[in-house]
C-alpha cells in the first residue's frame, strides 16, 4: 500500500510540473518597477523609451542617477534602491526589448 501511495504522489507531482517551465529573463522582475513611467517592456508612452537602447547606455544613465548629489527626484530614488549588479540586469533586460 505504501508503494502505491508513493507512486501516486510521484505521478501527481510530475503531472503538476510544467514540461517546459518558462524561464523569466534576468532583470525582468527588477525592471517591472520602471514600467509605471517607461511603459510595459520599456516602451514609454510619455517618458523616454528604454526598449532597444544599448545595455551599457542604460546602465551608465542609471549609475549617474544613482550617484546624483544635487537633486532629489524619482529616478534617483529608484536607482538608489538597487545594487550596481541589479542595475546592470535591468539594463540588459530592457536592451533586449523591442
Amino acid at each position: 500500500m505504501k508503494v502505491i501511495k508513493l507512486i501516486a504522489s510521484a505521478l501527481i507531482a510530475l503531472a503538476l510540473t510544467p514540461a517546459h517551465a518558462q524561464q523569466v529573463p534576468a532583470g525582468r522582475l527588477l525592471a517591472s518597477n520602471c514600467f509605471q513611467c517607461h511603459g510595459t517592456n520599456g516602451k514609454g508612452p510619455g517618458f523616454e523609451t528604454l526598449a532597444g537602447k544599448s545595455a551599457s547606455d542604460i546602465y551608465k544613465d542609471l549609475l549617474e542617477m544613482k550617484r546624483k548629489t544635487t537633486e532629489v527626484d524619482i529616478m534617483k530614488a529608484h536607482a538608489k534602491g538597487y545594487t550596481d549588479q541589479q542595475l546592470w540586469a535591468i539594463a540588459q533586460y530592457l536592451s533586449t526589448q523591442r
Side-chain angles (χ1 to χ4, degrees), residues 10-48:
L11 289 174
I12 290 171
L14 186 59
L16 295 176
T17 304
H20 299 287
Q22 188 174 4
Q23 288 281 337
V24 175
R28 183 178 188 277
L29 182 58
L30 296 170
S32 66
N33 201 28
C34 308
F35 298 158
Q36 291 182 7
C37 296
H38 294 282
T40 304
N41 296 329
K43 299 172 187 169
F47 292 87
E48 180 182 3

Side-chain angles (χ1 to χ4, degrees), residues 24-77:
V24 175
R28 183 178 188 277
L29 182 58
L30 296 170
S32 66
N33 201 28
C34 308
F35 298 158
Q36 291 182 7
C37 296
H38 294 282
T40 304
N41 296 329
K43 299 172 187 169
F47 292 87
E48 180 182 3
T49 297
L50 301 174
K53 196 173 171 183
S54 83
S56 57
D57 285 347
I58 296 170
Y59 182 65
K60 184 182 82 147
D61 291 345
L62 289 169
L63 287 178
E64 275 181 32
M65 291 172 209
K66 181 178 181 176
R67 294 185 173 112
K68 277 185 184 179
T69 57
T70 55
E71 49 184 283
V72 176
D73 62 16
I74 192 72
M75 280 304 307
K76 176 181 172 127

Side-chain angles (χ1 to χ4, degrees), residues 73-94:
D73 62 16
I74 192 72
M75 280 304 307
K76 176 181 172 127
H78 283 289
K80 275 189 83 150
Y82 295 105
T83 66
D84 291 355
Q85 292 85 359
Q86 289 172 321
L87 291 176
W88 178 243
I90 291 168
Q92 285 183 307
Y93 171 73
L94 290 171

Side-chain angles (χ1 to χ4, degrees), residues 1-12:
M1 192 60 120
K2 270 186 169 180
V3 173
I4 293 173
K5 285 183 181 180
L6 183 61
I7 292 172
S9 295
L11 289 174
I12 290 171

